[in-house]
Amino acid sequence: MAEWMRTPVPGDAACERRVWIAFDERLVSYSECEGDTSHTAVWCVDEFLQHFADRLDEDDASRWLLPHLERLASTGGGKAATLRAYAARHDGAPPPTVVCDVVL
């Protein structure tokens, strides 16, 4: 749903960030790649917001997603609105779909 590169500060490496959403399960996958180090985790949407909402607020490429995740956390809804917002930002294209086998 969102992919962006955090602007590095002097002495700091650039950091690529990505967010994927499993709407029906109310899960968010979040990854950070910095240099040769990468981290990915799957969170319940409310826990994701508790720990990582500030990262979404740092760039226009991700800031649009924050209210949609907040709606998903509070009501469990908003999938259609989120997909429309994504399409509006990407010349009408739907987001890429990835099927991952996640074992909880």
Side-chain angles (χ1 to χ4, degrees):
M1 294 303 292
E3 184 174 315
W4 69 102
M5 182 74 78
R6 178 179 52 89
T7 305
V9 295
D12 190 15
C15 182
E16 186 176 336
R17 295 180 172 167
R18 294 184 179 107
V19 175
W20 297 273
I21 303 171
F23 291 98
D24 295 339
E25 295 80 5
R26 297 176 67 184
L27 297 173
V28 177
S29 173
Y30 175 74
S31 72
E32 292 186 353
C33 302
E34 191 165 354
D36 60 354
T37 305
S38 65
H39 306 278
T40 301
V42 177
W43 299 83
C44 295
V45 67
D46 55 338
E47 287 188 59
F48 170 79
L49 290 169
Q50 180 181 353
H51 297 286
F52 297 103
D54 61 326
R55 287 175 169 86
L56 294 180
D57 199 31
E58 69 186 16
D59 191 277
D60 286 340
S62 58
R63 192 171 291 123
W64 72 273
L65 190 54
L66 192 53
H68 295 281
L69 290 174
E70 289 169 342
R71 181 181 314 119
L72 182 63
S74 67
T75 69
K79 178 179 178 178
T82 306
L83 295 175
R84 280 193 305 273
Y86 178 94
R89 297 179 60 82
H90 295 88
D91 297 322
T97 300
V98 177
V99 177
C100 301
D101 293 327
V102 177
V103 179
L104 301 175

XYZ file of all heavy atoms in Angstrom:
813
model
N 0.813 -1.195 0.000
C 0.000 0.000 0.000
C 0.854 1.255 0.000
O 0.455 2.253 -0.551
C -0.934 0.018 1.205
C -2.001 -1.061 1.205
S -3.071 -1.095 -0.231
C -3.991 0.382 -0.057
N 1.998 1.173 0.647
C 2.877 2.342 0.670
C 4.320 1.862 0.688
O 4.654 0.871 1.321
C 2.601 3.210 1.892
N 5.144 2.591 -0.035
C 6.569 2.316 -0.074
C 7.276 3.654 -0.228
O 6.903 4.456 -1.075
C 6.878 1.409 -1.266
C 8.306 0.983 -1.361
C 8.518 -0.029 -2.476
O 7.721 -0.976 -2.605
O 9.494 0.161 -3.218
N 8.259 3.910 0.610
C 8.937 5.187 0.546
C 10.344 5.062 1.094
O 10.688 4.110 1.775
C 8.145 6.261 1.282
C 8.089 6.116 2.774
C 8.818 6.816 3.697
C 7.251 5.244 3.536
N 8.497 6.425 4.973
C 7.536 5.460 4.909
C 6.300 4.286 3.211
C 6.898 4.769 5.927
C 5.676 3.592 4.229
C 5.961 3.843 5.555
N 11.149 6.055 0.787
C 12.522 6.116 1.257
C 12.624 7.300 2.202
O 12.333 8.438 1.834
C 13.474 6.312 0.079
C 14.929 6.333 0.466
S 15.566 4.716 0.869
C 15.816 4.029 -0.740
N 12.989 7.012 3.451
C 13.197 8.080 4.425
C 14.445 8.846 4.017
O 15.471 8.275 3.683
C 13.377 7.496 5.820
C 13.649 8.548 6.884
C 13.794 7.915 8.250
N 14.760 6.832 8.302
C 16.053 6.993 8.563
N 16.558 8.179 8.788
N 16.855 5.950 8.602
N 14.363 10.147 4.028
C 15.504 10.981 3.677
C 16.565 10.864 4.764
O 16.273 11.085 5.937
C 15.072 12.457 3.540
O 14.008 12.517 2.592
C 16.223 13.316 3.076
N 17.776 10.478 4.376
C 18.814 10.319 5.391
C 19.299 11.666 5.931
O 19.260 12.674 5.243
C 19.940 9.599 4.646
C 19.734 9.950 3.216
C 18.247 10.153 3.039
N 19.723 11.651 7.157
C 20.362 12.814 7.766
C 21.860 12.538 7.758
O 22.284 11.389 7.614
C 19.853 13.053 9.211
C 18.383 13.421 9.192
C 20.066 11.837 10.081
N 22.713 13.553 7.897
C 24.156 13.314 7.860
C 24.568 12.224 8.865
O 24.125 12.203 10.004
C 24.743 14.668 8.252
C 23.701 15.649 7.815
C 22.390 14.960 8.048
N 25.368 11.284 8.375
C 25.838 10.193 9.210
C 24.856 9.041 9.338
O 25.094 8.079 10.044
N 23.723 9.131 8.644
C 22.681 8.124 8.724
C 22.422 7.588 7.320
O 22.442 8.332 6.349
C 21.406 8.776 9.293
C 20.336 7.758 9.630
O 20.644 6.555 9.703
O 19.194 8.188 9.837
N 22.168 6.322 7.189
C 21.871 5.728 5.887
C 20.406 5.948 5.528
O 19.560 6.127 6.401
C 22.166 4.230 5.923
N 20.126 5.934 4.238
C 18.738 5.998 3.781
C 18.011 4.751 4.264
O 18.619 3.702 4.467
C 18.680 6.088 2.264
N 16.741 4.859 4.449
C 15.960 3.728 4.965
C 14.712 3.565 4.108
O 13.895 4.478 4.022
C 15.571 3.976 6.419
S 14.667 2.622 7.173
N 14.591 2.412 3.467
C 13.409 2.110 2.667
C 12.371 1.459 3.565
O 12.692 0.580 4.370
C 13.794 1.160 1.536
C 12.688 0.898 0.573
C 13.152 0.040 -0.586
O 14.358 0.013 -0.884
O 12.286 -0.617 -1.175
N 11.117 1.896 3.433
C 10.040 1.383 4.279
C 8.864 0.946 3.414
O 8.588 1.561 2.392
C 9.598 2.443 5.283
C 10.726 2.758 6.250
C 10.368 3.785 7.252
N 11.439 3.864 8.239
C 11.565 4.818 9.120
N 10.686 5.793 9.157
N 12.551 4.814 9.984
N 8.178 -0.107 3.874
C 7.027 -0.633 3.136
C 5.924 -1.045 4.111
O 6.209 -1.541 5.193
C 7.425 -1.872 2.339
C 8.395 -1.610 1.230
C 8.647 -2.902 0.451
N 9.565 -2.646 -0.634
C 10.829 -3.037 -0.648
N 11.322 -3.714 0.370
N 11.599 -2.769 -1.675
N 4.670 -0.865 3.652
C 3.507 -1.277 4.433
C 2.575 -2.077 3.526
O 2.247 -1.632 2.429
C 2.737 -0.050 4.987
C 1.457 -0.484 5.685
C 3.609 0.754 5.917
N 2.174 -3.251 4.005
C 1.159 -4.061 3.347
C 0.024 -4.277 4.337
O 0.253 -4.300 5.538
C 1.714 -5.429 2.944
C 2.817 -5.394 1.955
C 2.711 -5.365 0.592
C 4.214 -5.400 2.236
N 3.956 -5.349 0.020
C 4.906 -5.373 1.012
C 4.970 -5.420 3.412
C 6.287 -5.377 0.923
C 6.358 -5.414 3.323
C 6.993 -5.396 2.091
N -1.194 -4.460 3.821
C -2.360 -4.625 4.697
C -3.119 -5.888 4.316
O -3.404 -6.116 3.139
C -3.320 -3.419 4.575
C -2.597 -2.123 4.897
C -4.529 -3.607 5.493
C -3.411 -0.885 4.591
N -3.466 -6.687 5.323
C -4.408 -7.798 5.166
C -5.707 -7.308 5.810
O -5.855 -7.358 7.032
C -3.883 -9.059 5.840
N -6.601 -6.759 4.994
C -7.800 -6.097 5.510
C -8.687 -7.028 6.322
O -9.113 -6.678 7.417
C -8.611 -5.484 4.366
C -7.948 -4.310 3.724
C -7.235 -4.451 2.549
C -8.030 -3.048 4.304
C -6.619 -3.363 1.957
C -7.419 -1.955 3.727
C -6.708 -2.116 2.540
N -8.994 -8.192 5.776
C -9.934 -9.094 6.450
C -9.400 -9.562 7.800
O -10.168 -9.746 8.743
C -10.255 -10.296 5.567
C -11.007 -9.886 4.301
O -11.611 -8.790 4.280
O -10.984 -10.662 3.332
N -8.112 -9.733 7.887
C -7.483 -10.195 9.127
C -7.109 -9.045 10.050
O -6.689 -9.263 11.174
C -6.229 -11.016 8.813
C -6.518 -12.307 8.068
C -6.735 -12.111 6.571
O -6.567 -10.974 6.061
O -7.099 -13.097 5.907
N -7.204 -7.812 9.538
C -6.818 -6.601 10.277
C -5.359 -6.671 10.731
O -5.010 -6.364 11.847
C -7.768 -6.362 11.449
C -9.198 -6.121 10.985
C -10.161 -5.979 12.114
N -9.869 -4.736 12.855
C -10.510 -4.389 13.946
N -11.466 -5.144 14.423
N -10.204 -3.269 14.566
N -4.498 -7.069 9.774
C -3.069 -7.169 10.029
C -2.305 -6.215 9.126
O -2.737 -5.922 8.006
C -2.572 -8.601 9.769
C -3.154 -9.697 10.647
C -2.690 -11.069 10.161
C -2.759 -9.480 12.103
N -1.167 -5.752 9.615
C -0.292 -4.860 8.850
C 1.101 -5.474 8.862
O 1.625 -5.827 9.914
C -0.242 -3.450 9.468
C 0.726 -2.561 8.718
C -1.629 -2.826 9.479
N 1.688 -5.584 7.686
C 3.077 -5.999 7.576
C 3.885 -4.739 7.324
O 3.545 -3.924 6.465
C 3.254 -6.986 6.420
O 4.628 -7.259 6.233
N 4.948 -4.599 8.079
C 5.785 -3.401 7.980
C 7.236 -3.842 7.866
O 7.676 -4.731 8.597
C 5.591 -2.526 9.223
C 6.502 -1.331 9.253
C 6.265 -0.242 8.413
C 7.606 -1.286 10.092
C 7.102 0.852 8.424
C 8.440 -0.186 10.113
C 8.185 0.872 9.275
O 9.007 1.955 9.284
N 7.970 -3.231 6.934
C 9.385 -3.567 6.805
C 10.219 -2.311 6.679
O 9.768 -1.289 6.162
C 9.629 -4.483 5.610
O 9.473 -3.785 4.406
N 11.429 -2.415 7.169
C 12.446 -1.368 7.032
C 13.710 -2.032 6.505
O 14.121 -3.079 7.007
C 12.759 -0.712 8.375
C 11.642 0.101 8.943
C 12.042 0.852 10.208
O 13.162 0.644 10.727
O 11.230 1.654 10.678
N 14.302 -1.424 5.498
C 15.566 -1.897 4.939
C 16.548 -0.741 4.992
O 16.306 0.307 4.413
C 15.395 -2.351 3.504
S 14.175 -3.653 3.309
N 17.648 -0.947 5.701
C 18.657 0.094 5.839
C 20.016 -0.540 5.592
O 20.465 -1.388 6.371
C 18.597 0.693 7.239
C 19.413 1.941 7.385
C 19.065 2.714 8.647
O 18.112 2.348 9.346
O 19.762 3.686 8.917
N 20.620 -0.149 4.461
C 21.897 -0.752 4.106
C 21.720 -2.240 3.871
O 20.858 -2.662 3.117
N 22.502 -3.055 4.547
C 22.386 -4.497 4.384
C 21.546 -5.143 5.493
O 21.558 -6.344 5.676
C 23.765 -5.140 4.325
C 24.589 -4.901 5.582
O 24.134 -4.141 6.461
O 25.694 -5.465 5.676
N 20.805 -4.332 6.226
C 19.963 -4.814 7.313
C 18.497 -4.594 6.959
O 18.123 -3.534 6.464
C 20.273 -4.049 8.618
O 21.660 -4.156 8.886
C 19.483 -4.607 9.770
N 17.676 -5.603 7.202
C 16.245 -5.434 6.975
C 15.466 -6.132 8.079
O 15.915 -7.120 8.657
C 15.833 -5.969 5.608
O 16.020 -7.355 5.544
N 14.292 -5.586 8.362
C 13.410 -6.114 9.391
C 11.986 -6.071 8.847
O 11.571 -5.079 8.256
C 13.473 -5.265 10.663
C 14.858 -5.077 11.187
N 15.481 -6.023 11.960
C 15.744 -4.075 11.020
C 16.698 -5.602 12.266
N 16.874 -4.423 11.712
N 11.250 -7.128 9.065
C 9.841 -7.191 8.684
C 9.073 -7.862 9.809
O 9.555 -8.832 10.389
C 9.644 -7.985 7.380
O 10.387 -7.371 6.329
C 8.180 -8.043 6.986
N 7.888 -7.344 10.090
C 7.032 -7.949 11.106
C 5.579 -7.776 10.692
O 5.234 -6.854 9.947
C 7.262 -7.301 12.473
N 4.737 -8.657 11.184
C 3.297 -8.574 10.969
C 2.660 -8.237 12.305
O 2.933 -8.896 13.316
C 2.733 -9.895 10.413
C 1.218 -9.810 10.269
C 3.388 -10.235 9.083
N 1.830 -7.194 12.289
C 1.216 -6.676 13.510
C -0.301 -6.631 13.364
O -0.810 -6.404 12.266
C 1.670 -5.239 13.755
C 3.128 -5.062 13.935
C 4.073 -4.958 12.947
C 3.830 -4.927 15.158
N 5.310 -4.787 13.507
C 5.186 -4.751 14.855
C 3.429 -4.933 16.486
C 6.157 -4.594 15.835
C 4.389 -4.771 17.466
C 5.732 -4.610 17.137
N -1.022 -6.765 14.472
C -2.433 -6.370 14.499
C -2.433 -4.869 14.249
O -1.533 -4.164 14.693
C -3.064 -6.666 15.859
S -3.138 -8.409 16.240
N -3.419 -4.373 13.533
C -3.394 -2.973 13.108
C -3.282 -2.004 14.289
O -2.548 -1.020 14.210
C -4.592 -2.638 12.189
C -5.904 -2.716 12.931
C -4.416 -1.277 11.539
N -3.964 -2.284 15.387
C -3.889 -1.351 16.514
C -2.493 -1.345 17.145
O -1.986 -0.295 17.536
C -4.974 -1.631 17.553
C -4.979 -3.060 18.054
O -4.462 -3.953 17.362
O -5.519 -3.274 19.158
N -1.843 -2.497 17.220
C -0.475 -2.536 17.739
C 0.497 -1.852 16.787
O 1.424 -1.173 17.217
C -0.034 -3.972 17.990
C -0.697 -4.603 19.193
C -0.087 -5.943 19.503
O 1.128 -5.992 19.744
O -0.830 -6.928 19.481
N 0.287 -2.053 15.493
C 1.131 -1.372 14.515
C 1.056 0.141 14.715
O 2.079 0.823 14.766
C 0.712 -1.725 13.086
C 1.398 -0.879 12.065
C 2.697 -1.142 11.671
C 0.753 0.222 11.518
C 3.338 -0.335 10.753
C 1.385 1.031 10.599
C 2.691 0.749 10.209
N -0.154 0.670 14.839
C -0.325 2.109 15.026
C 0.320 2.583 16.323
O 0.923 3.658 16.371
C -1.804 2.481 14.992
C -2.459 2.357 13.617
C -3.968 2.488 13.731
C -1.883 3.378 12.650
N 0.218 1.783 17.356
C 0.811 2.155 18.638
C 2.332 2.298 18.532
O 2.915 3.206 19.115
C 0.454 1.097 19.681
C 1.011 1.366 21.057
C 0.652 0.266 22.036
O -0.121 -0.644 21.734
N 1.216 0.325 23.216
N 2.969 1.437 17.758
C 4.428 1.426 17.695
C 5.029 2.166 16.498
O 6.174 2.628 16.581
C 4.941 -0.014 17.676
C 4.612 -0.765 18.910
N 5.242 -0.559 20.118
C 3.677 -1.732 19.142
C 4.740 -1.355 21.031
N 3.776 -2.076 20.469
N 4.294 2.261 15.381
C 4.907 2.750 14.149
C 4.171 3.879 13.443
O 4.566 4.289 12.359
C 5.086 1.592 13.155
C 6.015 0.535 13.651
C 5.527 -0.653 14.145
C 7.384 0.742 13.640
C 6.377 -1.637 14.617
C 8.249 -0.225 14.104
C 7.747 -1.415 14.600
N 3.094 4.407 14.014
C 2.339 5.471 13.346
C 3.218 6.671 13.023
O 3.043 7.316 11.984
C 1.150 5.902 14.198
N 4.189 6.975 13.869
C 5.064 8.121 13.613
C 5.870 7.948 12.336
O 6.181 8.918 11.658
C 5.992 8.371 14.799
C 6.913 7.199 15.101
O 6.496 6.026 14.918
O 8.059 7.450 15.531
N 6.174 6.724 11.963
C 6.933 6.503 10.737
C 6.093 6.808 9.498
O 6.613 7.243 8.484
C 7.472 5.087 10.700
C 8.631 4.888 11.669
C 9.056 3.437 11.675
N 10.290 3.187 12.363
C 10.412 2.974 13.668
N 9.352 3.054 14.440
N 11.579 2.700 14.191
N 4.786 6.564 9.583
C 3.912 6.886 8.454
C 3.769 8.389 8.272
O 3.511 8.865 7.173
C 2.527 6.277 8.652
C 2.439 4.762 8.631
C 1.002 4.332 8.851
C 2.981 4.193 7.354
N 3.933 9.131 9.343
C 3.728 10.578 9.296
C 4.954 11.338 8.802
O 4.962 12.546 8.775
C 3.320 11.085 10.681
C 2.649 12.438 10.614
O 1.991 12.729 9.594
O 2.790 13.210 11.573
N 6.003 10.635 8.370
C 7.223 11.319 7.980
C 7.332 11.608 6.488
O 8.244 12.301 6.065
C 8.451 10.520 8.439
C 8.641 9.219 7.701
C 9.763 8.371 8.266
O 10.204 8.624 9.406
O 10.185 7.447 7.572
N 6.415 11.091 5.672
C 6.554 11.242 4.229
C 5.178 11.264 3.567
O 4.276 10.541 3.987
C 7.382 10.068 3.689
C 7.806 10.270 2.261
O 6.980 9.980 1.366
O 8.930 10.734 2.027
N 5.031 12.055 2.500
C 3.755 12.120 1.782
C 3.372 10.772 1.178
O 2.193 10.481 1.004
C 3.805 13.171 0.683
C 3.747 14.579 1.239
O 3.289 14.748 2.394
O 4.165 15.511 0.536
N 4.363 9.949 0.836
C 4.078 8.641 0.239
C 3.384 7.709 1.218
O 2.744 6.746 0.811
C 5.371 7.999 -0.265
N 3.489 7.998 2.508
C 2.859 7.129 3.512
C 1.814 7.840 4.355
O 0.921 7.198 4.900
C 3.938 6.566 4.438
O 4.648 7.624 5.065
N 1.899 9.148 4.452
C 1.001 9.910 5.334
C -0.476 9.683 4.989
O -1.318 9.625 5.876
C 1.359 11.396 5.238
C 0.721 12.256 6.290
C 1.289 13.670 6.264
N 2.670 13.668 6.707
C 3.698 14.134 5.980
N 3.493 14.652 4.791
N 4.927 14.094 6.444
N -0.804 9.533 3.713
C -2.188 9.334 3.291
C -2.797 8.067 3.901
O -4.003 7.969 4.092
C -2.276 9.254 1.763
C -1.710 7.963 1.212
C -0.404 7.702 0.886
C -2.424 6.745 0.977
N -0.268 6.407 0.457
C -1.496 5.795 0.499
C -3.751 6.369 1.127
C -1.856 4.502 0.165
C -4.103 5.069 0.789
C -3.158 4.157 0.312
N -1.943 7.082 4.227
C -2.420 5.791 4.700
C -2.847 5.810 6.164
O -3.680 5.007 6.586
C -1.303 4.752 4.488
C -1.635 3.293 4.687
C -2.834 2.869 3.850
C -0.416 2.449 4.340
N -2.322 6.731 6.941
C -2.567 6.758 8.376
C -4.058 6.800 8.745
O -4.517 5.971 9.539
C -1.800 7.915 9.011
C -1.713 7.936 10.526
C -1.194 6.622 11.088
C -0.818 9.086 10.969
N -4.881 7.699 8.186
C -6.299 7.698 8.577
C -7.028 6.409 8.182
O -7.959 5.984 8.863
C -6.894 8.912 7.866
C -5.873 9.393 6.922
C -4.559 8.803 7.290
N -6.579 5.774 7.110
C -7.211 4.519 6.695
C -6.897 3.397 7.685
O -7.767 2.589 8.014
C -6.756 4.142 5.283
C -7.210 5.120 4.254
N -8.492 5.124 3.748
C -6.562 6.154 3.657
C -8.609 6.112 2.873
N -7.450 6.752 2.801
N -5.660 3.353 8.165
C -5.303 2.349 9.173
C -6.014 2.632 10.495
O -6.432 1.702 11.192
C -3.797 2.304 9.372
C -3.008 1.714 8.206
C -1.514 1.842 8.454
C -3.396 0.272 7.950
N -6.160 3.895 10.831
C -6.888 4.246 12.053
C -8.341 3.796 11.958
O -8.914 3.298 12.924
C -6.781 5.748 12.318
C -5.385 6.157 12.749
C -5.153 7.657 12.766
O -5.940 8.409 12.133
O -4.167 8.073 13.386
N -8.955 3.954 10.785
C -10.340 3.493 10.591
C -10.402 1.975 10.688
O -11.307 1.424 11.314
C -10.893 3.943 9.244
C -12.344 3.504 9.030
C -12.943 3.916 7.693
N -12.670 5.289 7.366
C -11.975 5.677 6.273
N -11.514 4.797 5.429
N -11.767 6.952 6.031
N -9.448 1.277 10.074
C -9.415 -0.179 10.144
C -9.294 -0.642 11.594
O -9.959 -1.595 12.013
C -8.257 -0.726 9.305
C -8.116 -2.238 9.232
C -9.325 -2.871 8.556
C -6.842 -2.610 8.476
N -8.475 0.042 12.372
C -8.293 -0.322 13.783
C -9.568 -0.076 14.587
O -9.921 -0.881 15.446
C -7.130 0.461 14.389
N -10.256 1.013 14.315
C -11.411 1.370 15.146
C -12.702 0.668 14.728
O -13.509 0.310 15.576
C -11.620 2.888 15.161
O -11.995 3.344 13.882
N -12.896 0.461 13.419
C -14.166 -0.104 12.967
C -14.018 -1.429 12.243
O -15.015 -2.112 12.006
C -14.894 0.866 12.010
O -14.166 0.952 10.783
C -15.070 2.229 12.635
N -12.802 -1.755 11.832
C -12.596 -2.960 11.040
C -12.955 -2.770 9.583
O -12.855 -3.684 8.780
N -13.354 -1.552 9.216
C -13.772 -1.282 7.842
C -12.829 -0.346 7.121
O -11.765 0.000 7.609
N -13.266 0.036 5.947
C -12.523 1.018 5.181
C -11.710 0.459 4.034
O -10.968 1.190 3.387
N -11.852 -0.831 3.743
C -11.059 -1.425 2.666
C -11.310 -0.730 1.326
O -10.364 -0.346 0.641
C -11.371 -2.915 2.550
C -10.631 -3.611 1.425
C -10.973 -5.098 1.384
C -10.272 -5.786 0.239
N -10.583 -7.236 0.233
N -12.572 -0.554 0.963
C -12.896 0.061 -0.328
C -12.357 1.486 -0.416
O -11.793 1.879 -1.434
C -14.408 0.044 -0.557
N -12.492 2.254 0.657
C -11.990 3.634 0.656
C -10.470 3.662 0.550
O -9.901 4.514 -0.144
C -12.445 4.358 1.923
N -9.802 2.733 1.205
C -8.340 2.675 1.138
C -7.894 2.325 -0.268
O -6.960 2.941 -0.802
C -7.796 1.642 2.144
O -8.291 1.944 3.439
C -6.278 1.642 2.163
N -8.550 1.359 -0.893
C -8.190 0.971 -2.255
C -8.460 2.105 -3.244
O -7.676 2.332 -4.167
C -8.932 -0.297 -2.661
C -8.561 -1.548 -1.860
C -9.445 -2.721 -2.271
C -7.091 -1.881 -2.008
N -9.548 2.856 -3.035
C -9.820 4.021 -3.903
C -8.745 5.090 -3.720
O -8.282 5.690 -4.688
C -11.202 4.609 -3.593
C -12.343 3.861 -4.225
C -13.650 4.649 -4.150
N -14.003 5.056 -2.796
C -14.703 4.307 -1.937
N -15.127 3.105 -2.300
N -14.979 4.756 -0.729
N -8.343 5.334 -2.487
C -7.301 6.337 -2.222
C -5.981 5.919 -2.851
O -5.263 6.748 -3.412
C -7.144 6.553 -0.715
N -5.659 4.645 -2.772
C -4.434 4.155 -3.408
C -4.507 4.383 -4.922
O -3.573 4.901 -5.529
C -4.226 2.662 -3.117
C -2.989 2.120 -3.791
C -1.787 2.075 -3.104
C -3.017 1.665 -5.108
C -0.636 1.593 -3.713
C -1.878 1.195 -5.729
C -0.689 1.156 -5.029
O 0.440 0.694 -5.656
N -5.626 3.985 -5.529
C -5.793 4.136 -6.979
C -5.688 5.602 -7.398
O -5.083 5.917 -8.427
C -7.128 3.540 -7.415
N -6.241 6.496 -6.608
C -6.173 7.930 -6.926
C -4.732 8.425 -6.930
O -4.381 9.329 -7.678
C -7.007 8.731 -5.928
N -3.890 7.843 -6.116
C -2.481 8.241 -6.040
C -1.631 7.565 -7.109
O -0.474 7.911 -7.291
C -1.912 7.890 -4.666
C -2.575 8.617 -3.513
C -1.981 8.212 -2.191
N -0.566 8.497 -2.104
C -0.016 9.683 -1.800
N -0.810 10.700 -1.538
N 1.289 9.836 -1.754
N -2.171 6.523 -7.771
C -1.387 5.727 -8.715
C -2.078 5.606 -10.069
O -2.147 4.520 -10.643
C -1.111 4.340 -8.122
C -0.256 4.389 -6.906
N -0.782 4.539 -5.639
C 1.091 4.350 -6.763
C 0.212 4.572 -4.772
N 1.357 4.468 -5.423
N -2.595 6.722 -10.573
C -3.215 6.777 -11.905
C -4.277 5.705 -12.126
O -4.391 5.131 -13.200
C -2.153 6.676 -13.001
C -1.177 7.833 -12.970
O -1.616 8.965 -12.702
O 0.035 7.613 -13.191
N -5.055 5.413 -11.084
C -6.154 4.469 -11.201
C -5.765 3.009 -11.023
O -6.624 2.142 -11.039
N -4.488 2.729 -10.856
C -4.032 1.340 -10.723
C -4.324 0.800 -9.322
O -4.208 1.527 -8.340
C -2.537 1.253 -11.001
N -4.688 -0.477 -9.241
C -4.872 -1.084 -7.929
C -3.511 -1.400 -7.311
O -2.509 -1.505 -8.022
C -5.634 -2.378 -8.241
C -5.180 -2.737 -9.618
C -4.977 -1.410 -10.338
N -3.473 -1.592 -6.011
C -2.195 -1.956 -5.392
C -1.796 -3.368 -5.798
O -2.658 -4.192 -6.121
C -2.491 -1.876 -3.895
C -3.951 -2.062 -3.776
C -4.547 -1.490 -5.035
N -0.507 -3.640 -5.784
C -0.099 -5.026 -6.067
C -0.617 -5.940 -4.963
O -0.731 -5.525 -3.809
C 1.430 -4.948 -6.057
C 1.772 -3.683 -5.350
C 0.606 -2.772 -5.492
N -0.955 -7.148 -5.351
C -1.448 -8.122 -4.385
C -0.386 -9.196 -4.218
O 0.121 -9.738 -5.197
C -2.757 -8.767 -4.862
O -3.725 -7.730 -5.035
C -3.268 -9.784 -3.883
N -0.074 -9.479 -2.974
C 0.896 -10.517 -2.652
C 0.225 -11.476 -1.693
O -0.382 -11.052 -0.710
C 2.162 -9.907 -1.986
C 3.130 -10.984 -1.591
C 2.796 -8.885 -2.904
N 0.315 -12.746 -1.964
C -0.236 -13.753 -1.076
C 0.942 -14.361 -0.313
O 1.843 -14.937 -0.911
C -1.009 -14.841 -1.846
C -1.508 -15.917 -0.890
C -2.151 -14.213 -2.619
N 0.906 -14.193 0.991
C 1.964 -14.724 1.853
C 1.352 -15.698 2.837
O 0.315 -15.411 3.423
C 2.641 -13.595 2.638
S 3.393 -12.339 1.613
N 1.983 -16.827 2.996
C 1.556 -17.764 4.027
C 2.154 -17.300 5.346
O 3.361 -17.355 5.532
C 2.033 -19.186 3.701
C 1.334 -19.752 2.466
O 0.162 -19.405 2.267
O 1.980 -20.511 1.730
N 1.302 -16.830 6.226
C 1.750 -16.338 7.528
C 1.254 -17.314 8.591
O 0.065 -17.613 8.647
C 1.208 -14.921 7.816
C 1.631 -14.466 9.194
C 1.697 -13.961 6.749
N 2.154 -17.799 9.379
C 1.802 -18.696 10.468
C 1.867 -17.921 11.750
O 2.891 -17.325 12.082
C 2.760 -19.905 10.508
C 2.402 -20.811 11.670
C 2.743 -20.644 9.197
N 0.754 -17.874 12.464
C 0.707 -17.145 13.736
C 0.733 -18.101 14.900
O 0.255 -19.172 14.864
C -0.544 -16.280 13.805
C -0.684 -15.243 12.700
C -2.022 -14.539 12.825
C 0.451 -14.233 12.777
